[in-house]
Amino acid sequence: SQTIHQWPATLVQPVGSPLSLECTVEGTSNPNLYWYRQAAGRGLQLLFYSVGIGQISSEVPQNLSASRPQDRQFILSSKKLLLSDSGFYLCAWSGSTNYGYTFGSGTRLTVV
Amino acid sequence: SQKIEQNSEALNIQEGKTATLTCNYTNYSPAYLQWYRQDPGRGPVFLLLIRENEKEKRKERLKVTFDTTLKQSLFHITASQPADSATYLCALDMNDYKLSFGAGTTVTVRA
């Protein structure tokens, strides 16, 4: 069966520090991968998606970036965090555009 | 761009009753409309997907309808239980890898 792993679960980082969140998927090949951010009491905002190794599409201009170095690995990064980067970050995968997404357990990021 | 509105932020109902949630959207009808459940501090969990040419889809006590004329989907939880208490999100899939989510409706089922 397919599983998705996302870590860390919580993270407190000072303003201006770098960020690296990792997501891996098991049990499937060539998944579509996504990074979403959810602000408190808000809907999910799509940040990046990838349909293959090295292929990254950005939805929201910001100081975040994403990379897909391997088929089932998706990384969210920042060189310098801002206070506004705080939120709940979710990684997800899907097999196709007409399938439900499977989400990871999320990372709660607090920038202080 | 698409605007997705879920009828209310919170819905409180008595156990055993039917909860009905509304999802309205603007502009073009999506190829697919999806519903998710999200518990506090957790990632959303996929529940149901309905295609634009389908009127209704059921899964156990859940039922989803899709009216492209009204640009609306209804999500029903029948015979509700306290364990159904959660936030329910609708999402529009335009068949372009960009699943767009509504803000969600928080359902509380009282015993």
Side-chain angles (χ1 to χ4, degrees), chain B residues 38-105:
Chain B
Q38 186 175 24
D39 291 288
R42 309 289 293 273
V45 174
F46 171 72
L47 296 175
L48 282 166
L49 177 152
I50 187 165
R51 294 172 171 77
E52 62 178 331
N53 61 351
E54 296 177 318
K55 296 296 184 184
E56 182 178 299
K57 185 72 71 75
R58 293 176 183 262
K59 178 183 177 182
E60 298 175 351
R61 294 184 294 108
L62 307 179
K63 185 179 83 171
V64 172
T65 62
F66 192 8
D67 189 326
T68 56
T69 301
L70 294 178
K71 297 187 177 180
Q72 181 181 84
S73 175
L74 298 180
F75 178 81
H76 305 273
I77 307 172
T78 60
S80 61
Q81 305 168 0
D84 295 326
S85 298
T87 297
Y88 292 86
L89 308 171
C90 79
L92 273 56
D93 184 350
M94 303 301 291
N95 209 21
D96 61 356
Y97 304 104
K98 303 175 189 177
L99 195 64
S100 301
F101 286 83
T105 297

Side-chain angles (χ1 to χ4, degrees), chain A residues 9-10 15 17 20 23 31 37 39 53-54 58 61 70 75 77 81 86 95 103:
Chain A
T10 60
V15 169
S17 64
S20 181
C23 172
R37 179 171 60 198
I53 296 174
S58 173
Q70 300 181 45
I75 298 171
S77 304
L81 285 168
S86 295
F103 283 85

Side-chain angles (χ1 to χ4, degrees), chain A residues 32 34 36 38 42-44 46 49 51 59 88 90 97-101 103-105 108, chain B residues 32 34 36 38 41-44 46 49 51 89 93 95-103:
Chain A
N32 297 326
Y34 311 86
Y36 281 84
Q38 187 175 34
R42 305 282 295 276
L44 279 70
L46 178 62
Y49 68 92
V51 300
E59 288 300 298
F88 191 45
L90 290 155
T97 55
N98 60 349
Y99 279 80
Y101 287 19
F103 283 85
S105 53
R108 176 75 59 190
Chain B
Y32 313 95
Q34 304 182 18
Y36 290 77
Q38 186 175 24
R42 309 289 293 273
F46 171 72
L49 177 152
R51 294 172 171 77
L89 308 171
D93 184 350
N95 209 21
D96 61 356
Y97 304 104
K98 303 175 189 177
L99 195 64
S100 301
F101 286 83

